[in-house]
Amino acid sequence: MEKARIERYLRDYAYLFLVAGLAVALDQALKLWARSILDVGETWEPFPALADYLAIIHTFNTGMALGILRGTNGLFIALGEIICIVILFVYPRVSEKRNPVLIGLGMGLILGGALGNLIDRVTLGYVTDVFLVSFLPVFNLADLALVFGAILLWLSLLFDKSKSQS
């Protein structure tokens, strides 16, 4: 492999790991804060005027959103591991053909979200959820990272034709 290509891989992976690391750090810090300050089921309303719409809550989930597949933690541990491995394997091939900044941000958020929830599942046996928004299931920053990363990745693959035509 030529030196310039190796340097590009290292730079791209550093960006991917930086994005993922920030997502994991923020997610784990917020979950730790919620677990240490609030009892399970306890709610904190930081903005009283928005209390009917937004609150911080300490709850947990052994399944996925809406309680689907509750009690299948092992399945989601395996799925999280597969997602992380696939991203690490596919990332250099995708970023080489597209805008590496957008691809790195999208895949980094997905990787960080998967790792954030994977850490909870492996260490606690469940995922800590903290955000209660009136019209959504309870979620956490890792879930947000996964969703926004997937949307960003999809949009960048859909609209970024920069290198794919060559």
Side-chain angles (χ1 to χ4, degrees):
M1 203 181 263
E2 63 196 58
K3 184 179 178 184
R5 191 170 184 180
I6 292 172
E7 288 174 354
R8 192 181 77 67
Y9 273 7
L10 291 175
R11 183 183 65 245
D12 288 353
Y13 270 113
Y15 177 62
L16 178 78
F17 292 142
L18 175 67
V19 171
L22 286 172
V24 169
L26 291 172
D27 173 66
Q28 289 297 303
L30 181 60
K31 290 174 179 176
L32 179 63
W33 174 83
R35 287 192 302 265
S36 63
I37 300 298
L38 303 172
D39 292 328
V40 174
E42 186 179 358
T43 302
W44 174 56
E45 298 162 347
F47 308 106
L50 299 175
D52 291 339
Y53 309 102
L54 174 67
I56 304 295
I57 187 169
H58 175 198
T59 188
F60 63 92
N61 189 355
T62 59
M64 58 186 264
L66 303 172
I68 298 170
L69 299 175
R70 186 172 288 142
T72 56
N73 200 44
L75 171 68
F76 290 107
I77 288 173
L79 185 59
E81 291 170 342
I82 290 168
I83 289 170
C84 294
I85 290 166
V86 167
I87 286 175
L88 293 174
F89 180 73
V90 169
Y91 176 69
R93 289 153 189 82
V94 175
S95 68
E96 188 174 81
K97 296 178 179 159
R98 304 288 181 151
N99 182 330
V101 173
L102 292 176
I103 295 295
L105 184 57
M107 287 187 148
L109 287 171
I110 294 170
L111 180 62
L115 286 171
N117 282 339
L118 190 59
I119 289 168
D120 276 14
R121 289 186 188 282
V122 169
T123 61
L124 303 172
Y126 56 85
V127 171
T128 302
D129 286 328
V130 294
F131 293 115
L132 177 61
V133 177
S134 63
F135 56 91
L136 295 172
V138 181
F139 59 95
N140 57 48
L141 283 177
D143 298 336
L144 282 176
L146 283 163
V147 169
F148 284 117
I151 290 169
L152 185 59
L153 182 61
W154 177 73
L155 289 173
S156 65
L157 291 173
L158 186 65
F159 293 113
D160 179 21
K161 306 290 185 198
S162 59
K163 297 178 189 172
S164 64
Q165 302 295 330
S166 46

